[in-house]
Amino acid sequence: MKDKIQIVVAVLTLFAGVAAFYLLSDKPMIVRLGAMMGLVVLAGVVGWFSAPGREFAQFGKESVEEAKKVVWPTRKEAMQSTGVIFVFVFIMAFFLWVVDWILTFGVSKLIGGA
């Protein structure tokens, strides 16, 4: 129950930060941004101390570790893949143009158009 209350407080604080930005429209931009960012950081701190907040942080850390394991293609592989994609798109565009032309020709002959 404590965690649910913390999450609700964090979300309400986040909304208060966004509302503060708009409610302080007559103040200088630095004050508006300061109020908003302060409340957003406060919402993050409140959320951090809940069990779902800690689980989310752990998920983020694990996601970064998994992203480091990704094997990115070399420049040559990326250029070859891009070339294959461009050729395929060109062939498909030509094919669809031919099919469109044939269907247009057939329909115009069927209905007796010019």
Side-chain angles (χ1 to χ4, degrees):
M1 186 65 164
K2 175 187 164 201
D3 288 333
K4 290 181 181 180
I5 292 172
Q6 282 181 309
I7 295 298
V8 168
V9 169
V11 169
L12 290 175
T13 307
L14 184 67
F15 287 150
V18 174
F21 181 81
Y22 290 106
L23 291 174
L24 297 173
S25 61
D26 57 334
K27 305 293 182 199
M29 183 60 76
I30 190 75
V31 173
R32 296 171 68 193
L33 286 175
M36 181 183 73
M37 293 307 297
L39 287 170
V40 167
V41 168
L42 181 62
V45 169
V46 170
W48 173 267
F49 286 107
S50 67
R54 287 188 298 275
E55 290 173 9
F56 181 73
Q58 183 63 30
F59 174 76
K61 289 177 186 176
E62 292 173 2
S63 297
V64 168
E65 290 176 19
E66 285 298 318
K68 289 179 182 177
K69 295 178 185 178
V70 172
V71 179
W72 297 100
T74 63
R75 179 175 174 83
K76 181 181 176 185
E77 292 170 338
M79 295 300 286
Q80 288 174 342
S81 298
T82 303
V84 168
I85 291 168
F86 273 113
V87 169
F88 177 75
V89 167
F90 178 76
I91 291 170
M92 280 303 298
F94 181 75
F95 171 75
L96 291 173
W97 176 73
V98 169
V99 169
D100 181 56
W101 183 80
I102 291 170
L103 290 173
T104 302
F105 180 77
V107 169
S108 66
K109 289 296 180 185
L110 186 66
I111 61 174

